[in-house]
Amino acid sequence: MHRIFNAVRLLLLLIALGAFPAGAAPLQAQWEFRLLPGDAQGAAHPGLQQWRAATVPGSVHTDLLAHELIRDPYVGAPEAELQWIGLADWEYRARFDVDAASLAKAHAELRFDGLDTYAEVTLNGKPLLRADNAHRTWHARVEGRLRAKGNELQIVFRSPIRTLLPGVQAMPHRIAGNYPSPYGDEPKDAMVGNFARKPAYHFGWDWGPRYVTAGVWRGVDLQAWDAHRLTDVAVRTDALDAENAKLAVVLQVEQDAVAAPIAVDVEVRDPDGRSVARVQRTVELKPGRNSVEVPVELAKPRRWWPVGHGAQDRYTVQARLDGSADPVLAREQRIGLRTVELRREQDDKGGQGFAFVINGVPIFAKGANVIPFDAFPARVDAARLRQVLVAARDANMNMLRNWGGGYYEDDAFFDIADELGLLVWQDFMFGGGMQPGYDPAFRASVVAEARDNVRRLRHHPSIVLWCGNNEEETAWKDWGHGRDLKSADPAFAAKVWQGYVDLFGNDLRQVVSEDGLGVPYWSSSPSNDLDEKANDSTRGDKHYWQVWGNPALPVQAYLRETPRFMSEYGLQAWPAVATVDQIATRAEQRIDSPVIRAHQKFMAGEGNTRLLHYIELGYGTPKDFEDFVYLSQVMQADGIALAALHHRASRPYTMGSLYWQLNDVWPGASWSSVDYFGRWKALHYAARRFFAPVAVAALRDEGSTRVRLINDGAALDARWRLRVMDVEGKVLRRREQAVTLAAAGVTDIGTYADAELLAGADPARTVAVFELLQDGKVTARQVVGFVEAKDQVLPRQQLTSTLAIDGDHYRLRLHSAALVRAVWIDFGALDVQVEDNLLDLLPGETRDIAVRGPVDLAALREALKVKTLNDR
């Protein structure tokens, strides 16, 4: 049995059923696959030319795994031995019948929602279409080509490497790619990924494996109709405030060769399901494509708000033609009423703001970047999406950035984001390097891809930005990509840059303007939307990698970088040992073991040296691998907390903080706060505190601590308290006073020099505790040390823990006799949820932590481990 994945066909079928738009019926077919006969890989892999059952949606890797023809791609270090799969050509076929009612219709169409990537499709032995873009939807008319029994659909998938490599190698000068393959399946100086409209991360990234997939990765459906069909419904907001909403419901209707009148019925139901508007009219359809616009007005509309700012109310809009419930003549769309603006006000110092304004209210964006949830997208179901997005909401996030090197997520992702009130910054699928935007055919394919996905997703109120790409402009301007190409071939470099401007400055901007229902467009991240400087702290959004990346500055450098909107920054950590156990034996769990190095993609496997550098800077040398994992998570949490609180405390100059990254594509070392199996790292628990609606930012740098109180909501009265104490609990200084926290803003308490706070006390045995109290209860706290954690003198064996049943859950009671830092509660592989974690306990403090899960008390007690910095 595979340790991580089993081919659960029923689950994949349910995913497929949820992936189709209204009016489409999933193709009821039996799928098979094989290595294409005559392929060069056949000699080394005999027997694969025979047909075997396949799962659609899926991929060749998951089909091979289901038949136990390959090792689990995530367990151990099998990556090198599986690269042949991406060099092979594969064939899929489906056999299906068509019911009499569908055959009787005048028109029929097969729709392919995801073909990965270079595909030749035939139906009943005759060519149907050729595909070359995994991100597009492909349509093929099939009336007159179907039969009642025994239809056969065949799809040959060509290796993207073998398809593109000759052309790339023939280029006299090559445009910059991303991550070269270490496995020899393509030359390091001729990367093809940037020329393929395929998820870029499939070619490998610094947080995930290289598995160049092929297959039918999204659903296939068959639709049949007579005179006309309803192909799309969009709801445009023309005016919206608390009193009134003016909407236009725009229907796209396809009519056959004869003009005809048609009855149109549009109904709007409020969030409670009550009908609040209905418009009926008759319109004359001309042959071909028709756009029908129906105005609707709503009084006292219930607007959709991001989480923390109001309710996530949504309306349902239903459109019918001829009063029919036939799926080809009726559609239903769930929408949220909201306005969105990307506000870019000039300041008096020549800078320019970058703030999202929803329903007229500026929102400080708190959140993280999202990468693909799996190397094989069809394995990602709605339950996994919900688990991670709920975790984001529960950590007080209100925005996620869907990064551009993956794929456009299923509607399920955005449905959940709509429900939870999570704003989405949506990149188009360009992850880095440069693309051949100078090629008209490439640009045309991208424009078609963009229209498909903008139209598919535009009804989701969560989407508040479409961004052209990830890091391509800054790579060209700041990383040497442009300089190197200009030096080699100035004319070609100018052509490449003009292609970039055409594609990201014009084409995608036009698509969003025409089809995006008012959502703003941004050409690249980071950028100032094609202004001269790409990665600027005074204008536009910022990616900051001088901490962790080059030159690997200490985490305190975060406090000296104040952007307008920080859209990327991060620190790595390993996931829990329970997760590592899924990929490596205990004997393999060493920092330098081949399996561990295989799951550390940064610096081509050398990333643990960078991670160890940051651990040793602040926390000392780990005792063993388990200690390495623990300290990596503490370091990550502490460092990102420092940056995020600084960003929040810099409001309104700074209006966003999105750390890299929320989730994982597989089990391994990465910058994530939630690992591949959904386990929270220490960072995610810390995020719930540093992104809390009310927080204390006591940030120490270069011998002084600046204290600010952060409040996302209405003005509130509270008290703030300072206690300077030694590690045994003796209070050396105390101050407490009333304060009114500014609404949606920051209240500056002051700056305190170390000498003032310590007043001669030993900095290694002393901390300053800054707290905010509401109704006598501590609602926010920050403990500030005066030396690095490795130099603090912390008493040992000061923590006691007891577990007991407490109603419908378990209660873990922690008590500390002295100061205890970075308490980490671990139940190993048990499926339990811990209410809070990564805690500092003050001398004499008791904390009760709720623990929930289907585990008995004895097992819970046996599994419990508690680690602290005091134990080192």
Side-chain angles (χ1 to χ4, degrees):
M1 179 181 292
H2 304 295
R3 278 199 274 168
I4 297 181
F5 308 112
N6 291 296
V8 185
R9 296 181 186 277
L10 176 60
L11 177 60
L12 291 174
L13 176 61
L14 292 174
I15 297 169
L17 291 174
F20 292 100
L27 187 68
Q28 300 301 311
Q30 299 296 319
W31 287 90
E32 297 175 301
F33 83 110
R34 67 178 178 178
L35 183 69
L36 188 68
D39 187 271
Q41 297 296 326
H45 304 279
L48 291 183
Q49 292 91 347
Q50 70 184 61
W51 289 105
R52 289 177 170 86
T55 298
V56 169
S59 73
V60 65
H61 287 76
T62 52
D63 286 328
L64 290 168
L65 180 62
H67 289 280
E68 300 185 340
L69 296 169
I70 60 172
R71 287 203 285 157
D72 192 309
Y74 289 2
V75 176
E79 198 172 341
E81 71 192 55
L82 299 181
Q83 294 309 306
W84 66 271
I85 300 170
L87 291 170
D89 294 342
W90 298 91
E91 185 176 13
Y92 279 71
R93 73 179 179 189
R95 292 193 173 100
F96 63 98
D97 300 333
V98 180
D99 62 85
S102 296
L103 282 175
K105 301 286 187 182
H107 308 285
E109 179 181 86
L110 277 171
R111 170 181 168 136
F112 303 84
D113 285 334
L115 297 174
D116 181 13
T117 296
Y118 294 94
E120 301 156 13
V121 185
T122 62
L123 176 64
N124 294 328
K126 295 183 179 179
L128 187 64
L129 65 85
R130 296 175 70 95
D132 61 0
N133 187 327
H135 301 299
R136 284 184 61 178
T137 300
W138 297 91
H139 304 262
R141 296 294 285 267
V142 293
E143 55 262 30
R145 301 184 59 175
L146 297 171
R147 49 194 183 221
K149 300 290 184 180
N151 294 279
E152 185 166 285
L153 187 67
Q154 289 184 291
I155 309 175
V156 173
F157 291 98
R158 302 293 180 183
S159 162
I161 299 171
R162 287 165 49 193
T163 298
L164 293 169
L165 189 56
V168 174
Q169 288 181 311
M171 296 173 66
H173 301 288
R174 288 152 195 167
I175 57 178
N178 291 306
Y179 292 94
S181 173
Y183 303 115
D185 53 318
E186 71 177 7
K188 292 186 177 182
D189 65 344
M191 291 178 279
V192 305
N194 286 21
F195 297 84
R197 292 312 300 144
K198 170 181 177 59
Y201 79 105
H202 284 165
F203 294 91
W205 220 264
D206 61 0
W207 36 251
R210 178 183 176 92
Y211 289 127
V212 182
T213 60
V216 186
W217 77 280
R218 278 187 169 150
V220 182
D221 71 274
L222 174 65
Q223 187 178 75
W225 69 99
D226 282 320
H228 41 251
R229 63 170 173 167
L230 180 59
T231 60
D232 190 39
V233 174
V235 183
R236 189 180 70 237
T237 302
D238 292 331
L240 176 65
D241 56 29
E243 299 300 319
N244 190 54
K246 294 183 178 181
L247 311 176
V249 181
V250 184
L251 286 61
Q252 301 301 323
V253 184
E254 187 175 308
Q255 174 69 17
D256 65 11
V258 179
I262 191 170
V264 175
D265 184 347
V266 171
E267 183 181 17
V268 180
R269 297 192 297 273
D270 72 8
D272 299 319
R274 297 172 299 198
S275 180
V276 290
R278 187 169 186 180
V279 179
Q280 296 174 302
R281 61 176 54 180
T282 298
V283 298
E284 188 76 17
L285 296 181
K286 66 180 187 299
R289 296 178 179 176
N290 294 258
S291 183
V292 178
E293 189 167 310
V294 179
V296 176
E297 289 199 33
L298 303 177
K300 301 289 185 181
R302 292 158 64 174
R303 290 176 288 181
W304 183 94
W305 291 90
V307 61
H309 293 270
Q312 288 74 57
D313 286 323
R314 287 176 289 167
Y315 288 76
T316 301
V317 177
Q318 184 182 73
R320 293 176 183 269
L321 304 182
D322 294 333
S324 175
D326 186 331
V328 301
L329 299 176
R331 286 211 175 193
E332 193 169 271
Q333 202 78 283
R334 204 167 185 195
I335 65 168
L337 301 179
R338 57 96 180 94
T339 60
V340 55
E341 172 193 356
L342 180 59
R343 186 170 292 172
R344 303 184 61 212
E345 295 177 333
Q346 297 282 347
D347 62 32
D348 56 6
K349 296 182 180 179
Q352 189 173 27
F354 190 103
F356 290 93
V357 181
I358 309 299
N359 298 327
V361 177
I363 306 295
F364 188 99
K366 305 178 295 184
N369 289 259
V370 173
I371 64 171
F373 289 78
D374 203 293
F376 313 111
R379 289 204 297 211
V380 181
D381 63 359
R384 196 191 316 182
L385 295 174
R386 178 170 291 279
Q387 178 188 36
V388 177
L389 268 61
V390 167
R393 190 274 314 274
D394 289 349
N396 291 306
M397 298 183 187
N398 61 19
M399 176 175 274
L400 301 174
R401 173 182 173 234
N402 270 341
W403 168 81
Y407 52 87
Y408 303 94
E409 287 285 353
D410 285 342
D411 275 88
F413 178 99
F414 300 95
D415 286 337
I416 297 166
D418 293 345
E419 172 195 332
L420 299 177
L422 295 170
L423 303 174
V424 177
W425 167 318
Q426 180 63 51
D427 282 1
F428 286 100
M429 290 300 111
F430 295 90
M434 290 295 283
Q435 271 71 37
Y438 49 83
D439 178 0
F442 183 89
R443 280 176 57 197
S445 179
V446 171
V447 168
E449 161 196 324
R451 288 201 191 278
D452 282 350
N453 287 284
V454 171
R455 288 174 176 175
R456 174 173 68 91
L457 298 173
R458 60 187 171 183
H459 64 280
H460 291 285
S462 53
I463 297 177
V464 294
L465 186 72
W466 286 94
C467 179
N469 65 70
N470 171 77
E471 294 187 341
E472 296 200 3
E473 184 180 345
T474 191
W476 181 266
K477 293 180 176 179
D478 304 325
W479 300 357
H481 291 183
R483 178 199 62 222
D484 294 346
L485 193 56
K486 289 174 187 176
S487 176
D489 189 337
F492 183 52
K495 182 179 179 181
V496 170
W497 178 246
Q498 186 58 51
Y500 176 93
V501 173
D502 290 341
L503 181 57
F504 297 109
N506 301 323
D507 293 348
L508 295 181
R509 193 185 307 274
Q510 182 175 348
V511 170
V512 174
S513 175
E514 292 173 352
D515 292 329
L517 299 179
V519 171
Y521 174 78
W522 191 245
S523 61
S524 182
S525 180
S527 79
N528 194 34
D529 206 17
L530 283 168
D531 204 353
E532 181 177 353
K533 192 173 181 181
N535 198 13
D536 189 353
S537 295
T538 66
R539 302 164 66 88
D541 72 309
K542 178 82 174 181
H543 292 192
Y544 183 70
W545 287 105
Q546 280 69 35
V547 175
W548 180 266
N550 291 315
L553 298 175
V555 294
Q556 288 77 15
Y558 281 135
L559 301 178
R560 299 155 208 160
E561 178 61 45
T562 308
R564 306 313 294 254
F565 190 106
M566 187 69 90
S567 48
E568 274 193 30
Y569 63 102
L571 293 164
Q572 252 201 14
W574 273 85
V577 172
T579 291
V580 181
D581 285 341
Q582 296 288 89
I583 59 172
T585 66
R586 285 298 173 101
E588 293 167 331
Q589 292 180 25
R590 309 184 314 274
I591 292 176
D592 61 348
S593 82
V595 170
I596 294 301
R597 286 172 56 86
H599 288 261
Q600 167 58 276
K601 292 300 182 181
F602 182 66
M603 295 170 56
E606 299 292 338
N608 283 339
T609 59
R610 181 65 52 85
L611 186 49
L612 195 58
H613 165 73
Y614 276 95
I615 291 172
E616 291 181 333
L617 275 180
Y619 305 90
T621 301
K623 296 179 293 186
D624 51 30
F625 186 79
E626 187 173 339
D627 198 37
F628 172 66
V629 169
Y630 165 69
L631 291 178
S632 76
Q633 292 203 20
V634 174
M635 178 277 300
Q636 181 192 39
D638 287 350
I640 299 303
L642 195 70
L645 287 170
H646 169 60
H647 301 151
R648 293 188 69 195
S650 301
R651 179 177 183 166
Y653 184 90
T654 302
M655 285 300 290
S657 181
L658 308 180
Y659 65 73
W660 186 271
Q661 66 212 53
L662 176 65
N663 62 308
D664 271 335
V665 73
W666 78 329
S670 82
W671 297 261
S672 72
S673 61
V674 177
D675 78 16
Y676 178 79
F677 296 109
R679 296 185 175 105
W680 289 23
K681 293 182 183 177
L683 170 57
H684 210 75
Y685 289 99
R688 188 160 57 189
R689 292 189 282 271
F690 63 65
F691 281 151
V694 176
V696 175
L699 305 177
R700 180 180 176 273
D701 188 30
E702 298 181 331
S704 65
T705 301
R706 185 177 179 187
V707 184
R708 285 160 288 182
L709 306 178
I710 300 164
N711 176 29
D712 286 342
L716 61 87
D717 293 328
R719 300 186 69 81
W720 74 271
R721 179 169 70 192
L722 161 65
R723 289 180 289 169
V724 180
M725 64 177 66
D726 69 17
V727 295
E728 304 291 350
K730 181 180 178 181
V731 177
L732 308 177
R733 178 181 174 184
R734 180 187 179 102
R735 180 180 176 186
E736 183 175 330
Q737 67 183 62
V739 64
T740 299
L741 273 63
V746 178
T747 304
D748 199 334
I749 296 300
T751 301
Y752 298 86
D754 286 358
E756 177 187 0
L757 293 171
L758 287 167
D762 182 355
R765 297 182 56 84
T766 309
V767 294
V769 182
F770 295 90
E771 295 170 313
L772 190 70
L773 296 89
Q774 295 173 261
D775 299 325
K777 296 181 179 180
V778 175
T779 55
R781 173 193 287 171
Q782 197 166 358
V783 178
V784 177
F786 297 96
V787 296
E788 295 288 355
K790 65 181 179 181
D791 299 320
Q792 279 191 314
V793 179
L794 297 171
R796 296 176 64 83
Q797 298 178 341
Q798 296 297 311
L799 190 68
T800 61
S801 62
T802 57
L803 264 168
I805 297 174
D806 188 2
D808 64 350
H809 63 275
Y810 298 105
R811 182 192 69 243
L812 173 63
R813 175 162 290 173
L814 301 174
H815 177 76
S816 174
L819 176 68
V820 179
R821 301 297 306 270
V823 177
W824 181 249
I825 305 159
D826 187 5
F827 290 100
L830 292 184
D831 182 20
V832 297
Q833 294 79 48
V834 180
E835 177 187 29
D836 203 359
N837 219 330
L838 192 70
L839 309 168
D840 288 341
L841 267 67
L842 300 182
E845 186 173 15
T846 299
R847 286 287 305 274
D848 285 343
I849 309 295
V851 181
R852 292 179 168 85
V855 182
D856 64 44
L857 183 59
L860 208 60
R861 285 172 172 163
E862 183 178 357
L864 174 64
K865 288 184 179 180
V866 180
K867 293 181 69 70
T868 77
L869 291 180
N870 298 54
D871 302 328
R872 305 195 68 258

